Amino acid sequence: MPEILKVRVPESAELDVVFLHGLDGDARKTWAGGSPSSFWPAWLGEDFDRVAVWSVGYEAWSTGWRGRAMPMQDRAVNLMARLRNVGIGERPLCFVTHSMGGLLAKEILLHAAEGRTEYAAFAKTARGVVFLGTPHTGSGLAAVVKALGLVYRSTAAVKDLKRNTAHLRHLNDRYRDWVDESGIRNLVFFEAYPTRGVRVVDEGSANPGLPRVRPISVDADHVGICKPADRDSLVYGQVSRFIAGILADTDTPPPRHAAWKLPMSGRAFVGRTAELDRLAETVKADNRVAVVAVHGLGGVGKSSLAARFAELRSAGFSAVWWLTADSASAIDNGLAELAVALSPEAAGLSWEQRTERAVGWLAGHTGWLLILDNLTDLAHAGGLLERVRTGTILITSRRGTGWRGVSTVPLDVLEPDEAVELLGRLVRAEWPDAVLANGDRLCAELGWLPLAVEQAAAYLAQNRMTPARYLDLLARYPAKMFAWTAETEDAERAVARVWHVTLDRLADTPLAAKLLRRLAWHAPERIPRSLLEDDGDEPELSEALGRLAAYSMITLDVDTIQVHRLVQAVTRTPDPADPYRRPEDIDHARESTAGRLARALDAADPRLPAHWPVFQAVLPHGRALLDHTDVDTGPLCHLANSLSLYVLGHGDPATAIAFAARAADAGERLFGVDDPITLRARNTLASAYQAVGDVRRAIVLFEAALADCERVLGPAHPDTLSYRNNLAAARHAAGDMRQAISLLEETLEGREGVLGKDHPDTLLSRNNLAMAYEVVGDAGRAIPLHEATLADRERVLGSDHPETLLYRNNLAYLHWSMGDAKRAVMLFEATLKDRERVLGPDHPNTLVSRGNLAGACESAGELARAVELQERTRADRERVLGRDHPETLVSWNNLAGAYETSGDLVRAIELYERTLAARERVLGHDHQDTLNSRNDLAYARGTAGDLPLAIRMFEEARAGAERALGPDHRLTKKIRENLETAIRLRDRP
């Protein structure tokens, strides 16, 4: 990691001098002789009290035996970021370089000048470069390495130095052109003596070919050229005069302003390059008024941007004047002050006369900059805008609309890395040794809002606190943390108060504050406008949203709304003293949000793809609401249970468990164990535990829920029948097929009697019973029952209904499991074709069909086709579902099996190992899928001839299966049989 050594950095410094070493260099040793007192960067610091001196150390090894070296272009960007972190680039800058360090300086300056906009300041502030033995056209690689006595193994840094490479020639040509444009000073030295018999950088290579710059010969070799013996030496004397010349240029007095007022001058500032460039574009034309409005959320940094623009461009203006513009009278007061600043004798005039004199001066002069800060109503500045025809007026405002005829620059929050940089610079200005681990997490929690970052930085510095501790306090005491300000700051600038002013402006639209409280309980982005339809009548509802958007409190689209996360956090934090955050109003907003989200799912079925968009729209907002409140209500229980069913069906059982457990616990506490809400949540929780492989816990929960449901609702109630069906499925998963079939037969009989033979739940029971018959090998009952069920499903729902397609897939699976692979292939092909047509090629059920077809092809001996289908299914599931989704891991395991069947044991074992590791990480060591992977890998190891390892893995899998599934589960039995076979093979003569 680069080292940036502060040699001497006085507060009053007007010039940064940065030393950059070359190959195998060091921030100290490169620039020093045999004693510490010979470190000549320190001499410069002593001789120039207006100069800040820095020395940079970075990895630039000439040989791979000694260390690493980053390519020069990457190193340039890396160093720019690190130099900017310590504030270099904010004042005039001079590089003093040795060898490759000179090339690095050129890369930095050209990157900054030619499009690295975030680092443009390096090019703008650069005043000079000193080159000590810099190989502008390269040097002989082998000779350099030999001369330095190194064993040769090239690094990226050395490769950058090859003589006459196209890159070095192009770099030098670009640098010469830029020097002509910028007028930057250059001082060039080259060594007169060889180093161990070799001229490392000769005069020709050391000469960059700059007009009016003549290289100076130094009586030293390549190593000694950068180590002047004393202050009287040639190099030190020339460098001193060079720096003195740069300082003389900075002494040129700046243009005198007719008036100057910039209250935010000198504050820390990061980023915003694009916005500054857009502001600069507005002042290019002469002799006309340029009006531009910077608008955005309160606290986003509008005033800071305006102040920064004024600082950077002040030399181009005849006057710079800042005035507060939150009312018409405030504007007039600011103009009256301007009149006195322009002409002190105006102090004796009346207030109206001073205001009129200031407007007259602006109307009669050009080249001035007037900043109207926090303009709340364009009409307040209407008279001024009508009278002035020259100059520049820069407006900051929270209003995002209504800027007729005014150019606008919308301002958003900082980029994440910029927010972290701002935090670091502010904290270390007061606390240089601060360790800011988790600073990125803190900035993210604050939504990268500059005001919040600034206040957090002040809190960290004042209280000597880590970001992690601040995050903890923010979670525990949000009201206090949002209300805090530093000792020297205005309390009205606290995060908790900054938007109060905006809501005051909206006081004539009470619905606006109500809607903001409602929005505070959602996720920050993509909030459907339809979720607010119950909160007001039209057109008042749309008008209230429009006013919130006009004042940058929300971002409004045709269908959705976006709110900054910190606006939400403050808005849902109660404060009895704040009329917009009264506890009872916030509670009402929370309860209304829970009810509206729950009602949105009332008619939605998580099993039907057509209803999934509804769940997808509600899920992030339901999750946010559940995360932000511990107050449970009936609607919240219903919401949590509904979302649990949806995420369970989409491969996220862990979240399903969290949601269902919340619903079950809250339901029992609010309504009792016998309430239908509680029973449904317990049933969902059991299903979620079954999905993660905890079948035993699932069975216990299903049995308890079924017993309570039979007692409360009766044995024939549809809910009771559903719970009995689910218990049967859990028994099936546990391998207890006798109990599973008994429960399924009982459920089917009950559903036929209560719901009728054609009801979808009845058909589902027939399907489940047919699959259970298949498991026990009863093909005589399984296939006819399934065929009849499929025919009824097609008659009732139609041939293209997703449930019908599911049953067709299951019928194909039955034929496959019964050994009729060819018929299974035919049925799977037809089902896959229909699912692609009806559901689309990426639907999860379509991917199931393709995977099943691959498995049937493998059984039918079509191995090449099986591998191709499995590879495609795996790739599609990774893309659609994610690499860690349980179904994706099924595809990994199935593909490994296809490789194994086709004889490619190397790839099979490698993929089995990856699948096992992923399942252990995602599902746990004792999940049924994990145990199956361990069994499959052991079998492949045995087939490959490593029986001892296979036996150990079978033993581990057997122990896990007996512990998790029980000794009678079919997987446990399968593993036990494989272990016994492996032992027999090992022990046979």
Side-chain angles (χ1 to χ4, degrees):
M1 180 180 295
E3 172 193 12
I4 300 181
L5 178 65
K6 290 184 180 181
V7 180
R8 184 176 180 274
V9 184
E11 291 185 5
S12 59
E14 299 174 12
L15 174 69
D16 285 309
V17 175
V18 179
F19 284 75
L20 291 177
H21 65 71
L23 279 178
D24 303 311
D26 178 84
R28 285 188 176 275
K29 295 178 181 178
T30 293
W31 313 103
S35 65
S37 62
S38 63
F39 181 58
W40 66 281
W43 304 347
L44 287 175
E46 295 167 0
D47 295 346
F48 294 94
D49 57 5
R50 295 156 55 199
V51 170
V53 183
W54 313 75
S55 184
V56 178
Y58 59 96
E59 291 180 328
W61 303 112
S62 58
T63 169
W65 299 111
R66 299 184 62 184
R68 298 171 298 171
M70 187 182 294
M72 198 182 327
Q73 292 170 301
D74 295 339
R75 175 61 71 193
V77 177
N78 176 273
L79 281 184
M80 280 193 287
R82 296 190 176 277
L83 291 172
R84 190 174 66 168
N85 285 348
V86 297
I88 293 173
E90 296 179 1
R91 56 190 166 211
L93 169 65
C94 174
F95 286 109
V96 178
T97 69
H98 175 237
S99 191
M100 191 191 79
L103 304 179
L104 189 55
K106 293 198 295 185
E107 289 279 10
I108 288 173
L109 295 172
L110 290 172
H111 269 293
E114 295 176 355
R116 299 291 304 200
T117 54
E118 66 270 39
Y119 303 119
F122 287 96
K124 294 176 181 177
T125 59
R127 298 294 184 267
V129 183
V130 177
F131 296 106
L132 290 157
T134 295
H136 295 283
T137 57
S139 60
L141 177 63
V144 173
V145 175
K146 180 179 178 181
L148 296 177
L150 302 171
V151 179
Y152 173 66
R153 190 173 77 179
S154 179
T155 66
V158 169
K159 292 173 183 175
D160 285 331
L161 294 181
K162 288 185 178 179
R163 188 180 295 277
N164 292 319
T165 61
H167 172 69
L168 286 184
R169 292 197 307 271
H170 183 52
L171 176 67
N172 202 48
D173 290 343
R174 289 158 53 217
Y175 184 71
R176 280 199 301 261
D177 292 341
W178 180 70
V179 168
D180 287 340
E181 295 172 5
S182 65
I184 187 174
R185 294 168 174 249
N186 291 269
L187 182 61
V188 179
F189 298 93
F190 67 94
E191 66 249 33
Y193 301 142
T195 303
R196 299 189 183 180
V198 177
R199 287 282 293 278
V200 177
V201 180
D202 58 30
E203 181 179 2
S205 183
N207 188 353
L210 299 171
R212 298 177 299 282
V213 176
R214 183 173 180 178
I216 301 171
S217 175
V218 180
D219 290 329
D221 62 12
H222 190 68
V223 176
I225 194 173
C226 54
K227 303 180 190 298
D230 51 44
R231 282 176 166 85
D232 294 329
S233 67
L234 172 67
V235 168
Y236 186 78
Q238 290 289 323
V239 172
S240 295
R241 280 191 287 274
F242 185 75
I243 291 174
I246 293 175
L247 288 172
D249 287 345
T250 64
D251 287 338
T252 302
R256 183 180 180 277
H257 294 94
W260 175 272
K261 182 182 179 183
L262 199 60
M264 300 185 68
S265 179
R267 297 187 64 167
F269 188 89
V270 299
R272 309 300 201 192
T273 304
E275 289 83 358
L276 288 169
D277 288 344
R278 288 188 62 185
L279 289 176
E281 288 295 318
T282 66
V283 301
K284 282 188 174 180
D286 296 328
N287 300 320
R288 67 169 177 80
V289 67
V291 183
V292 60
V294 178
H295 64 84
L297 177 67
V300 81
K302 303 178 294 295
S303 299
S304 296
L305 178 69
R308 182 63 170 173
F309 173 78
E311 286 180 330
L312 293 175
R313 300 280 174 169
S314 61
F317 294 110
S318 59
V320 175
W321 195 255
W322 181 290
L323 56 84
T324 300
D326 56 4
S327 66
S329 61
I331 294 175
D332 288 342
N333 283 334
L335 290 171
E337 291 179 8
L338 171 60
V340 175
L342 291 167
S343 179
E345 63 271 15
L349 300 175
S350 68
W351 177 76
E352 293 84 358
Q353 289 173 322
R354 279 180 280 155
T355 301
E356 177 62 27
R357 177 171 290 197
V359 174
W361 187 92
L362 294 172
H365 291 78
T366 63
W368 45 261
L369 171 64
L370 183 67
I371 300 167
L372 305 182
D373 186 43
N374 196 26
L375 183 67
T376 56
D377 190 334
L378 187 58
H380 292 162
L384 174 65
L385 296 177
E386 288 175 2
R387 292 186 58 184
V388 296
R389 291 290 181 265
T390 60
T392 298
I393 297 177
L394 175 55
I395 298 169
T396 72
S397 177
R398 302 184 185 192
R399 297 206 54 153
T401 60
W403 300 105
R404 298 176 301 276
V406 175
S407 300
T408 59
V409 176
L411 195 62
D412 204 346
V413 297
L414 292 168
E415 292 296 323
D417 60 334
E418 293 171 348
V420 173
E421 179 185 346
L422 179 62
L423 180 76
R425 288 176 58 181
L426 291 171
V427 172
R428 292 193 175 100
E430 301 292 331
W431 183 17
D433 299 327
V435 177
L436 297 178
N438 297 304
D440 54 344
R441 284 183 51 225
L442 173 55
C443 291
E445 184 64 26
L446 299 175
W448 307 288
L449 187 75
L451 175 64
V453 173
E454 290 172 6
Q455 292 186 0
Y459 195 94
L460 297 183
Q462 180 171 309
N463 299 293
R464 295 302 192 259
M465 183 177 292
T466 65
R469 175 65 175 154
Y470 187 95
L471 282 166
D472 177 61
L473 291 177
L474 188 61
R476 293 164 58 195
Y477 310 109
K480 293 181 179 179
M481 299 303 288
F482 288 140
W484 185 89
T485 55
E487 297 291 341
T488 58
E489 288 289 335
D490 182 356
E492 293 300 310
R493 290 288 294 165
V495 170
R497 296 285 300 169
V498 71
W499 299 301
H500 196 286
V501 175
T502 299
L503 293 175
D504 282 344
R505 298 288 305 177
L506 297 173
D508 58 343
T509 309
L511 184 56
K514 177 185 176 182
L515 292 175
L516 194 63
R517 287 191 292 270
R518 279 274 282 108
L519 293 168
W521 291 103
H522 293 72
E525 298 177 346
R526 300 192 63 78
I527 305 171
R529 293 177 66 159
S530 59
L531 292 177
L532 301 177
E533 289 175 351
D534 297 343
D535 290 272
D537 298 324
E538 294 291 1
E540 290 79 10
L541 179 63
S542 293
E543 290 171 358
L545 289 172
R547 294 206 70 196
L548 284 169
Y551 280 89
S552 303
M553 296 298 287
I554 65 174
T555 301
L556 196 60
D557 291 327
V558 173
D559 299 314
T560 62
I561 304 165
Q562 180 175 330
V563 193
H564 190 276
R565 63 170 62 244
L566 208 58
V567 172
Q568 291 180 306
V570 171
T571 303
R572 64 174 178 263
T573 301
D575 181 356
D578 189 333
Y580 306 113
R581 296 190 289 136
R582 295 184 304 177
E584 60 270 27
D585 291 337
I586 291 177
D587 290 344
H588 182 267
R590 183 193 62 244
E591 292 166 10
S592 297
T593 301
R596 184 64 186 91
L597 291 173
R599 289 193 300 276
L601 300 179
D602 276 346
D605 187 336
R607 297 169 298 179
L608 299 180
H611 293 178
W612 289 353
V614 179
F615 283 96
Q616 291 163 356
V618 170
L619 177 59
H621 308 295
R623 191 193 301 271
L625 177 62
L626 290 165
D627 285 345
H628 291 132
T629 182
D630 55 5
V631 179
D632 291 320
T633 60
L636 202 68
C637 291
H638 174 60
L639 173 67
N641 190 64
S642 297
L643 292 176
S644 179
L645 288 168
Y646 173 73
V647 298
L648 180 61
H650 283 72
D652 190 358
T655 300
I657 289 173
F659 285 165
R662 174 85 175 262
D665 292 345
E668 186 173 338
R669 186 171 62 255
L670 293 170
F671 310 111
V673 295
D674 292 341
D675 191 271
I677 290 178
T678 308
L679 293 173
R680 281 195 291 272
R682 288 165 60 193
N683 181 69
T684 304
L685 181 60
S687 297
Y689 278 120
Q690 181 179 338
V692 297
D694 195 346
V695 181
R696 291 181 177 178
R697 182 182 291 191
I699 289 173
V700 170
L701 288 170
F702 276 133
E703 288 178 336
L706 176 59
D708 289 338
C709 203
E710 287 178 332
R711 175 173 50 79
V712 174
L713 302 177
H717 190 278
D719 284 355
T720 306
L721 297 173
S722 293
Y723 296 171
R724 187 176 295 118
N725 179 78
N726 292 344
L727 175 59
R731 288 290 185 186
H732 186 154
D736 186 356
M737 297 310 301
R738 183 181 62 81
Q739 281 286 337
I741 289 174
S742 175
L743 287 165
L744 286 168
E745 290 175 337
E746 184 180 356
T747 304
L748 176 58
E749 181 181 358
R751 280 176 165 170
E752 286 180 338
V754 174
L755 304 175
K757 292 190 174 183
D758 286 342
H759 191 278
D761 287 351
T762 305
L763 298 176
L764 176 64
S765 284
R766 288 165 61 185
N767 171 79
N768 294 346
L769 183 57
M771 298 302 290
Y773 287 152
E774 175 270 327
V775 172
V776 298
D778 191 349
R781 286 197 290 180
I783 292 178
L785 179 58
H786 209 97
E787 288 175 338
T789 304
L790 176 58
D792 289 341
R793 176 66 82 176
E794 289 178 336
R795 175 174 52 80
V796 173
L797 298 177
S799 59
D800 283 346
H801 191 279
E803 292 291 327
T804 305
L805 298 176
L806 173 64
Y807 286 21
R808 286 170 59 190
N809 178 81
N810 291 349
L811 177 60
Y813 188 90
L814 281 175
H815 284 288
W816 179 23
S817 63
M818 294 300 178
D820 192 349
K822 290 186 177 181
R823 183 168 176 79
V825 167
M826 180 183 67
L827 291 172
F828 277 135
E829 286 175 334
T831 305
L832 174 60
K833 182 178 180 181
D834 288 339
R835 275 182 162 170
E836 287 178 334
R837 175 176 52 81
V838 174
L839 304 177
D842 287 342
H843 191 282
N845 288 353
T846 305
L847 301 179
V848 168
S849 283
R850 189 177 299 121
N852 288 344
L853 174 59
C857 287
E858 183 180 337
S859 298
E862 300 178 39
L863 299 183
R865 186 184 183 197
V867 168
E868 185 273 330
L869 285 168
Q870 293 287 17
E871 288 178 335
R872 180 181 172 191
T873 305
R874 179 194 64 173
D876 287 345
R877 277 179 166 159
E878 287 179 354
R879 175 174 51 81
V880 175
L881 303 176
R883 291 176 63 85
D884 286 345
H885 192 283
E887 290 299 313
T888 303
L889 301 181
V890 167
S891 279
W892 286 19
N893 206 72
N894 290 346
L895 177 57
Y899 287 150
E900 182 181 4
T901 302
S902 61
D904 192 346
L905 282 174
V906 173
R907 281 207 291 179
I909 289 173
E910 178 186 359
L911 189 51
Y912 275 138
E913 288 176 335
R914 288 175 55 199
T915 307
L916 175 59
R919 280 177 163 170
E920 287 177 338
R921 174 174 51 82
V922 174
L923 303 174
H925 282 70
D926 287 345
H927 190 280
Q928 182 172 328
D929 287 354
T930 307
L931 296 171
N932 188 63
S933 279
R934 192 170 290 117
N935 173 75
D936 289 343
L937 177 57
Y939 193 94
R941 286 290 187 188
T943 303
D946 194 346
L947 285 171
L949 177 57
I951 290 170
R952 289 197 301 272
M953 295 188 69
F954 279 134
E955 289 173 339
E956 183 182 355
R958 180 192 61 183
E962 289 176 347
R963 180 173 60 251
L965 305 175
D968 295 328
H969 192 278
R970 62 182 182 275
L971 179 57
T972 307
K973 293 178 180 179
K974 177 182 178 182
I975 295 171
R976 191 182 301 121
E977 291 170 0
N978 289 341
L979 173 60
E980 292 169 354
T981 300
I983 292 173
R984 284 197 304 271
L985 291 172
R986 181 197 63 186
D987 295 342
R988 69 183 178 182

